[in-house]
Amino acid sequence: QLQLVESGGGLVQPGGSLRLSCAASGFTSNYYVIGWFRQAPGKEREGVSCISSRGGNTIYADSVKGRFTISRDSAKNTVYLQMNSLKPEDTAVYYCAAYRSATAQAMCVKSWYEYWGQGTQVTVSS
């Protein structure tokens, strides 16, 4: 059973930066797509950014393009989300998630993801 653990959340002022980490363990497959999702109070969980297990293909929600960067370190079994120029509307619980796939493309379709971390709180406020 794949396990995912997020870290790096916290309180930051508007315009600031945070780097989230998602550490994976318990692999049963060599191929996983990893995605970052977020959920604000009273809102649906939405895709933020996703990265393929093959080829390093990445996708971003329009709301974070140019500000967030997803990356992976295969040697450490870790995926990162670098968040710059943070806005109050970025405030949410951020989750990493995974599904098994050997294809070259990542998808940020929430229902496709099989495994979820516990979430880490990101608060952007003055």
Side-chain angles (χ1 to χ4, degrees):
Q1 180 82 5
L2 183 69
Q3 294 180 287
L4 304 172
V5 179
E6 304 97 331
S7 62
L11 175 64
V12 65
Q13 294 184 341
S17 298
L18 286 173
R19 188 192 193 197
L20 305 183
S21 298
C22 175
S25 62
F27 297 99
T28 59
S29 172
N30 291 326
Y31 304 103
Y32 291 93
V33 172
I34 304 295
W36 285 98
F37 296 78
R38 66 187 182 187
Q39 187 167 21
K43 302 293 181 64
E44 295 291 324
R45 192 172 299 184
E46 63 176 352
V48 177
S49 183
C50 302
I51 187 167
S52 64
S53 60
R54 302 178 70 183
N57 300 109
T58 60
I59 56 175
Y60 298 91
D62 288 342
S63 59
V64 306
K65 285 181 179 177
R67 299 188 298 120
F68 291 10
T69 303
I70 192 169
S71 62
R72 62 186 178 185
D73 186 335
S74 296
K76 296 181 178 180
N77 295 321
T78 301
V79 173
Y80 303 96
L81 185 67
Q82 179 67 46
M83 306 187 296
N84 299 326
S85 301
L86 283 161
K87 304 174 181 179
E89 50 263 46
D90 295 318
T91 296
V93 176
Y94 283 70
Y95 300 87
C96 65
Y99 68 90
R100 290 169 290 177
S101 176
T103 64
Q105 296 293 323
M107 297 291 290
C108 277
V109 180
K110 182 172 57 180
S111 62
W112 289 24
Y113 285 78
E114 302 171 89
Y115 310 100
W116 293 83
Q118 83 289 346
T120 184
Q121 177 70 48
V122 172
T123 302
V124 185
S125 176
S126 299

